[in-house]
PDB file of all heavy atoms in Angstrom:
ATOM      1  N   GLU A1088      73.986 131.018  -4.571  1.00  0.00           N
ATOM      2  CA  GLU A1088      74.288 131.380  -3.175  1.00  0.00           C
ATOM      3  C   GLU A1088      73.966 132.828  -2.892  1.00  0.00           C
ATOM      4  O   GLU A1088      73.809 133.216  -1.739  1.00  0.00           O
ATOM      5  CB  GLU A1088      75.725 131.050  -2.843  1.00  0.00           C
ATOM      6  CG  GLU A1088      75.936 129.523  -2.619  1.00  0.00           C
ATOM      7  CD  GLU A1088      77.384 129.095  -2.452  1.00  0.00           C
ATOM      8  OE1 GLU A1088      78.147 129.257  -3.435  1.00  0.00           O
ATOM      9  OE2 GLU A1088      77.729 128.610  -1.395  1.00  0.00           O
ATOM     10  N   ARG A1125      63.601 115.901  -5.736  1.00  0.00           N
ATOM     11  CA  ARG A1125      62.632 115.003  -6.317  1.00  0.00           C
ATOM     12  C   ARG A1125      62.816 113.566  -5.795  1.00  0.00           C
ATOM     13  O   ARG A1125      61.858 112.825  -5.607  1.00  0.00           O
ATOM     14  CB  ARG A1125      62.685 115.016  -7.847  1.00  0.00           C
ATOM     15  CG  ARG A1125      62.056 116.248  -8.419  1.00  0.00           C
ATOM     16  CD  ARG A1125      61.975 116.097  -9.932  1.00  0.00           C
ATOM     17  NE  ARG A1125      61.178 114.954 -10.330  1.00  0.00           N
ATOM     18  CZ  ARG A1125      59.914 115.057 -10.748  1.00  0.00           C
ATOM     19  NH1 ARG A1125      59.328 116.222 -10.761  1.00  0.00           N
ATOM     20  NH2 ARG A1125      59.249 113.996 -11.110  1.00  0.00           N
TER      21      ARG A1125
ATOM     22  P     U B 780      81.756 132.521 -11.388  1.00  0.00           P
ATOM     23  OP1   U B 780      81.742 133.400 -12.561  1.00  0.00           O
ATOM     24  OP2   U B 780      82.546 132.840 -10.164  1.00  0.00           O
ATOM     25  O5'   U B 780      80.278 132.273 -10.925  1.00  0.00           O
ATOM     26  C5'   U B 780      79.253 131.968 -11.844  1.00  0.00           C
ATOM     27  C4'   U B 780      77.898 132.049 -11.152  1.00  0.00           C
ATOM     28  O4'   U B 780      77.963 131.154 -10.005  1.00  0.00           O
ATOM     29  C3'   U B 780      77.532 133.430 -10.651  1.00  0.00           C
ATOM     30  O3'   U B 780      76.162 133.643 -10.817  1.00  0.00           O
ATOM     31  C2'   U B 780      77.853 133.369  -9.174  1.00  0.00           C
ATOM     32  O2'   U B 780      77.094 134.181  -8.359  1.00  0.00           O
ATOM     33  C1'   U B 780      77.524 131.889  -8.864  1.00  0.00           C
ATOM     34  N1    U B 780      78.285 131.384  -7.697  1.00  0.00           N
ATOM     35  C2    U B 780      77.532 130.999  -6.580  1.00  0.00           C
ATOM     36  O2    U B 780      76.343 131.084  -6.549  1.00  0.00           O
ATOM     37  N3    U B 780      78.291 130.571  -5.524  1.00  0.00           N
ATOM     38  C4    U B 780      79.643 130.444  -5.455  1.00  0.00           C
ATOM     39  O4    U B 780      80.191 130.019  -4.419  1.00  0.00           O
ATOM     40  C5    U B 780      80.344 130.829  -6.677  1.00  0.00           C
ATOM     41  C6    U B 780      79.656 131.276  -7.693  1.00  0.00           C
ATOM     42  P     A B 784      64.734 120.523 -15.422  1.00  0.00           P
ATOM     43  OP1   A B 784      65.050 120.961 -16.791  1.00  0.00           O
ATOM     44  OP2   A B 784      63.664 119.469 -15.253  1.00  0.00           O
ATOM     45  O5'   A B 784      66.066 120.003 -14.762  1.00  0.00           O
ATOM     46  C5'   A B 784      66.152 119.644 -13.419  1.00  0.00           C
ATOM     47  C4'   A B 784      66.906 118.365 -13.259  1.00  0.00           C
ATOM     48  O4'   A B 784      66.057 117.396 -12.631  1.00  0.00           O
ATOM     49  C3'   A B 784      67.365 117.724 -14.593  1.00  0.00           C
ATOM     50  O3'   A B 784      68.512 116.945 -14.343  1.00  0.00           O
ATOM     51  C2'   A B 784      66.196 116.767 -14.905  1.00  0.00           C
ATOM     52  O2'   A B 784      66.601 115.675 -15.711  1.00  0.00           O
ATOM     53  C1'   A B 784      65.887 116.316 -13.478  1.00  0.00           C
ATOM     54  N9    A B 784      64.494 115.893 -13.319  1.00  0.00           N
ATOM     55  C8    A B 784      63.373 116.578 -13.659  1.00  0.00           C
ATOM     56  N7    A B 784      62.256 115.936 -13.403  1.00  0.00           N
ATOM     57  C5    A B 784      62.700 114.733 -12.899  1.00  0.00           C
ATOM     58  C6    A B 784      62.051 113.594 -12.427  1.00  0.00           C
ATOM     59  N6    A B 784      60.718 113.520 -12.392  1.00  0.00           N
ATOM     60  N1    A B 784      62.779 112.546 -11.989  1.00  0.00           N
ATOM     61  C2    A B 784      64.108 112.692 -12.006  1.00  0.00           C
ATOM     62  N3    A B 784      64.834 113.651 -12.413  1.00  0.00           N
ATOM     63  C4    A B 784      64.095 114.677 -12.841  1.00  0.00           C
TER      64        A B 784
END
Side-chain angles (χ1 to χ4, degrees):
Chain A
E1088 284 172 295
R1125 284 188 61 100

